[in-house]
Amino acid sequence: MALTGVPALTSSAAAATLKDGRWCNPARGHFPAGGYYGAPRGRYPHAGQDVTNSTGTAVYAAAAGTVVRRGTDVLSGRTGNGLVIAHGGGRYTYYGHLSAFRIPLDAKVAAGQRIADMGATGHVTGPHLHFETHSGGLGSTVNPVSYLAARGVDLGGGWPAIGPGAVGATVKAVQYLITRRGTALVADGNYGAVSVNAVKKFQSSRGLVADGQVGPKTWPRLVHALGKGSSGAHVRGLQVALNKHSAGLAVDGDFGAVTNSAVRAYQNVNRLVVDGQAGPKSWEALVG
């Protein structure tokens, strides 16, 4: 299938690492027993990874692309409501057993944009997301857990990893957070030499390995616990991360009523504690 206007998910700047910030976690939840890639399923092995949570849990685009299939039983052998997103270069993702669609067929979507709600449509024993990654063409499935892990994403729900050359909203969040930590950066979403050196300086000051990769050891030291009344660059980082997930906020650095409502809404649809506080668990979900 020839596609135009679809990001190729590679660039000269990001060529050095797959951890380029272009992929993210499609849903929060846990892995159920037997829902792993390759698990026995009669004549054919399980083609994806199941992520279990309650009906209505938000489902997000794992990367930018175009919705090329939307409806019921959109792939052979898959039941219930599903979506297929084409990401260019023969890469596709599939999202199954959905309870609701949030975007139309042929829509262009950004990484992290809300596209659907988790559900229990089709042949299932309970609500979950059936998530697949296809590489080399639609139908050529690969293990979603290892595929995303190579791109810095923990499908099981943990802190991500981004490396030099990364781009996008998560990089902007890092740049705002580093600015709050004392080294002013332009929040342009490009993780180039200036930003990498600032991160290395921060890592060194905290006794971390100064490798310039923002991963599970660096994130917890970089983020701030934020609540209503907070203000500054770290709030801008939070607002950017919320906007990646369709919040539509003004990035003004003011944690007022609107941002508080957006945090609560995000926590609710991701089955986090709804307290309006951007603590470590909320940050981990937002940047993952």
Side-chain angles (χ1 to χ4, degrees), residues 222-236:
L222 187 59
V223 300
H224 293 256
L226 300 172
K228 200 169 182 180
S230 299
S231 63
H234 48 353
V235 176
R236 286 188 171 90

Side-chain angles (χ1 to χ4, degrees), residues 33-63:
Y36 57 89
Y37 181 78
R41 286 290 190 279
R43 292 177 57 194
Y44 302 102
H46 196 232
Q49 174 64 54
D50 291 344
V51 180
T52 297
N53 215 320
S54 57
T55 295
T57 299
V59 175
Y60 303 101

Side-chain angles (χ1 to χ4, degrees), residues 104-130:
L105 183 65
D106 299 324
K108 299 289 192 296
V109 297
Q113 180 177 339
R114 190 174 182 183
I115 57 171
D117 295 356
M118 195 179 291
T121 58
H123 302 317
V124 296
T125 57
H128 68 277
L129 170 67
H130 174 80

Side-chain angles (χ1 to χ4, degrees), residues 26 58-62 66-75 78-87 92-109 113-118 121 129-134 138:
V59 175
Y60 303 101
T66 301
V67 180
V68 293
R69 298 190 185 184
R70 175 189 184 275
T72 303
D73 305 342
V74 296
L75 287 181
R78 284 71 159 179
T79 63
N81 297 332
L83 284 169
V84 176
I85 298 177
H87 305 290
Y92 298 82
T93 48
Y94 169 76
Y95 311 76
H97 305 307
L98 307 172
S99 62
F101 298 113
R102 297 281 175 171
I103 38 81
L105 183 65
D106 299 324
K108 299 289 192 296
V109 297
Q113 180 177 339
R114 190 174 182 183
I115 57 171
D117 295 356
M118 195 179 291
T121 58
L129 170 67
H130 174 80
F131 177 68
E132 297 180 11
T133 48
H134 298 235
L138 190 57

Side-chain angles (χ1 to χ4, degrees), residues 159 177 180-181 219-231 234-235 238 255 276-283:
W159 294 102
L177 288 166
R180 181 66 182 192
R181 294 295 186 181
W219 277 113
R221 308 291 289 276
L222 187 59
V223 300
H224 293 256
L226 300 172
K228 200 169 182 180
S230 299
S231 63
H234 48 353
V235 176
L238 174 67
F255 199 130
Q277 304 293 310
K281 287 297 183 184
S282 292
W283 271 110

